[in-house]
Amino acid sequence: MSDNDLQRLFAALLHLDLPKSMASRLCALGGDVDIKCGAVAELDDPAVRFIVFVAEGVAKFVGHLGNDREQVVAFLLANDLTVFPRSDAVPYSLHGITDCRLFAFPADAFIRTIAADPDLAKAVCEHMFVAFDQSRDMSVLLGRKTAQERVATFLTSMAERIGKQNDDGVSLSLPISRREIADSLGLTIETVSRQFTELRELGIIDTNGRSDVTILDRLRIREVAALPC
Amino acid sequence: MSDNDLQRLFAALLHLDLPKSMASRLCALGGDVDIKCGAVAELDDPAVRFIVFVAEGVAKFVGHLGNDREQVVAFLLANDLTVFPRSDAVPYSLHGITDCRLFAFPADAFIRTIAADPDLAKAVCEHMFVAFDQSRDMSVLLGRKTAQERVATFLTSMAERIGKQNDDGVSLSLPISRREIADSLGLTIETVSRQFTELRELGIIDTNGRSDVTILDRLRIREVAALPC
DNA sequence: CGCACTCTTGATATTTCTCAAAATGGGTGG
DNA sequence: CCACCCATTTTGAGAAATATCAAGAGTGCG
């Protein structure tokens, strides 16, 4: 990883000019992590928490319960910043959904380093707070929403992240499979599939092939998702 | 809030001596929040994220979905530090479970201020990361665990936080009701109650009155909770 | 000591899961 | 460019888990 790479990344992620000196100090800490599609990332030290930046591609954090029970706790898209979970209760791993390029900094050293620049510290924390809030929203979804609400919420949130406005509505090309959707929503693939079908029959979405979805009715999908309108 | 109060709080929470100058700068930002048992906290500005410290008592963050659907996303006990959630997707509120005393700092200004002291920044971030990890663990619980696993996980985690070792095992006096437990585990009070009964019949716990629980078999409750042993 | 509220227990309803099979999509090679 | 093939997705029927509704029991406070 070069200082320039990092400066470009931070500019894209945080809308912030990283001073040269800070860039090189961070580079000294940082680890490039390249993950191939379908592979598991090997973070150097599983006992250390990492701050993860996504430069390219799509990845996921997965918690494991045994008996093939998996829960996706976050999808990471390009220009995301988040914290890789560390817990004595659940083992987590980081998987590439597509080939992807990440930067992982040991949290302790990273925080210590960026503290020298309050603007940078604020921008990084802001992103961590957003990720934290998403996790709380996920708890509400998983604890209290119905299958239909979960799928509608998922589509709404993906539309906000990667959707493109066009004539019919908002179109998105899902980079993730039904299994991964199910694993993130606490459902089975069959239930996810049935909910896609139902949303299509209700005229709220349209689908094309496995991954293309168009949200035809932005208001109604929010309603069905139990989101504030 | 006096500088001394804050210094005492930070010593207890973060095991860290807060310099006088930092204490008074933080005091200038900070808001005492006193919540009566059963009341809802009025945080000044609902559009601002807050860093919350618990000095005394027990509180909860609740996410609201309408139709009386509520999800408790965190219980706050004395000496906890966490981030009050802000989200466009779910409205959250902060409730006193007992009378309690909190300090709430606007996150932006707080981060900016503590950045001046890298040790302090690291300690605060460490606590935020722990809270974040708990939220991720909660997603795994809510997404993939059975009712029995959820209740066993809840009891294990409360035992770690407020349990007292004695001859029979680990005893705890739950400061929270079955309804609140249910609201945090994504279950109904009836299901929670049935799981308490079953754990008692299995000889894993003993109960006394509404709130006293003794964990008789630490290993077996972790097994039943699907926690690593 | 009694009353209000919480908790527990039981019977039934509903949702989602599981298991099984058919359909579809998208990539490959002829 | 088309046909084939494998993996993914969809659909269906039945099973399991938890929710709901309804009583009854207990706790602890005034």
Side-chain angles (χ1 to χ4, degrees):
Chain A
M1 172 173 45
S2 78
D3 298 6
N4 281 339
D5 281 349
L6 206 63
Q7 285 178 310
R8 232 176 300 124
L9 185 64
F10 274 57
L13 256 66
L14 307 174
H15 312 290
L16 181 142
D17 268 335
L18 197 61
K20 193 85 187 164
S21 65
M22 179 61 79
S24 49
R25 258 190 291 171
L26 288 175
C27 275
L29 304 174
D32 291 83
V33 181
D34 285 307
I35 322 179
K36 289 277 165 230
C37 170
V40 181
E42 301 298 341
L43 294 180
D44 319 301
D45 188 345
V48 168
R49 228 180 302 263
F50 284 91
I51 310 288
V52 176
F53 294 77
V54 183
E56 286 167 29
V58 181
K60 61 180 177 181
F61 290 154
V62 180
H64 302 270
L65 271 187
N67 291 100
D68 293 323
R69 287 190 294 178
E70 298 197 340
Q71 177 68 31
V72 172
V73 296
F75 291 116
L76 312 181
L77 308 183
N79 287 5
D80 277 349
L81 180 177
T82 188
V83 183
F84 183 77
R86 289 277 159 223
S87 149
D88 297 331
V90 182
Y92 292 93
S93 59
L94 168 52
H95 297 249
I97 289 179
T98 66
D99 291 357
C100 55
R101 204 157 62 89
L102 316 173
F103 299 105
F105 300 96
D108 274 17
F110 183 77
I111 295 296
R112 231 173 232 294
T113 306
I114 63 166
D117 180 340
D119 285 332
L120 177 58
K122 185 184 154 257
V124 167
C125 283
E126 181 64 28
H127 278 252
M128 295 197 310
F129 293 151
V130 169
F132 199 164
D133 288 343
Q134 286 171 350
S135 177
R136 255 81 179 261
D137 288 353
M138 213 56 204
S139 288
V140 175
L141 178 148
L142 293 168
R144 288 285 168 242
K145 286 194 177 182
T146 64
Q148 186 166 89
E149 289 169 339
R150 293 181 200 203
V151 171
T153 305
F154 168 79
L155 289 173
T156 305
S157 133
M158 289 305 286
E160 278 165 14
R161 294 169 85 180
I162 57 168
K164 305 245 182 292
Q165 179 75 45
N166 64 21
D167 298 345
D168 300 327
V170 181
S171 294
L172 52 154
S173 181
L174 292 175
I176 59 195
S177 68
R178 297 287 187 273
R179 160 144 305 285
E180 287 162 330
I181 297 171
D183 284 347
S184 83
L185 298 180
L187 299 170
T188 59
I189 54 173
E190 292 95 330
T191 300
V192 170
S193 179
R194 280 185 252 269
Q195 297 309 327
F196 268 81
T197 303
E198 191 157 340
L199 289 173
R200 193 177 339 103
E201 284 170 354
L202 288 169
I204 294 174
I205 65 170
D206 195 13
T207 60
N208 193 336
R210 283 170 180 171
S211 53
D212 291 352
V213 179
T214 304
I215 294 173
L216 302 171
D217 192 335
R218 280 185 96 179
L219 235 60
R220 209 136 73 89
I221 201 169
R222 292 187 70 84
E223 225 171 85
V224 166
L227 290 166
C229 297
Chain B
M1 171 173 48
S2 79
D3 299 6
N4 281 339
D5 281 349
L6 206 63
Q7 286 179 309
R8 233 177 298 124
L9 185 65
F10 274 58
L13 256 67
L14 308 173
H15 311 293
L16 181 141
D17 269 335
L18 197 62
K20 192 86 189 166
S21 64
M22 180 61 78
S24 49
R25 257 190 291 171
L26 289 176
C27 275
L29 304 175
D32 291 83
V33 181
D34 285 306
I35 322 178
K36 289 276 165 231
C37 170
V40 181
E42 300 298 340
L43 294 181
D44 319 303
D45 186 345
V48 168
R49 229 182 300 265
F50 284 91
I51 310 286
V52 176
F53 294 78
V54 184
E56 286 167 31
V58 181
K60 61 181 177 182
F61 290 154
V62 180
H64 303 269
L65 271 187
N67 291 100
D68 292 325
R69 288 189 294 178
E70 299 197 339
Q71 177 68 30
V72 172
V73 295
F75 291 116
L76 312 179
L77 308 182
N79 287 4
D80 278 350
L81 180 177
T82 188
V83 184
F84 183 77
R86 289 278 159 226
S87 152
D88 296 332
V90 182
Y92 292 93
S93 58
L94 169 52
H95 298 250
I97 289 179
T98 64
D99 291 357
C100 55
R101 204 157 62 89
L102 317 172
F103 299 104
F105 301 95
D108 273 17
F110 183 78
I111 296 295
R112 231 172 230 294
T113 307
I114 63 166
D117 180 341
D119 286 331
L120 177 57
K122 185 183 154 258
V124 167
C125 284
E126 181 64 29
H127 279 251
M128 295 195 311
F129 293 152
V130 169
F132 199 165
D133 287 343
Q134 285 170 353
S135 177
R136 255 81 178 264
D137 288 354
M138 213 57 203
S139 288
V140 175
L141 177 147
L142 293 168
R144 289 287 168 239
K145 286 194 178 184
T146 65
Q148 186 166 87
E149 289 169 338
R150 293 181 200 204
V151 171
T153 304
F154 167 79
L155 289 173
T156 305
S157 133
M158 289 305 286
E160 278 164 14
R161 293 170 86 180
I162 57 168
K164 305 245 182 290
Q165 179 76 46
N166 65 19
D167 298 347
D168 300 327
V170 180
S171 293
L172 52 153
S173 182
L174 292 175
I176 58 196
S177 69
R178 296 288 186 273
R179 160 144 304 284
E180 288 162 329
I181 297 172
D183 283 347
S184 82
L185 298 180
L187 300 170
T188 59
I189 55 172
E190 293 95 330
T191 299
V192 171
S193 181
R194 281 185 252 268
Q195 296 309 328
F196 268 81
T197 304
E198 190 156 340
L199 290 173
R200 195 179 335 104
E201 284 170 353
L202 288 168
I204 294 174
I205 65 170
D206 196 14
T207 60
N208 193 335
R210 282 172 182 173
S211 55
D212 291 352
V213 180
T214 304
I215 293 172
L216 302 171
D217 192 333
R218 281 185 93 178
L219 234 60
R220 208 135 74 87
I221 202 170
R222 290 187 71 85
E223 226 170 87
V224 166
L227 289 166
C229 296

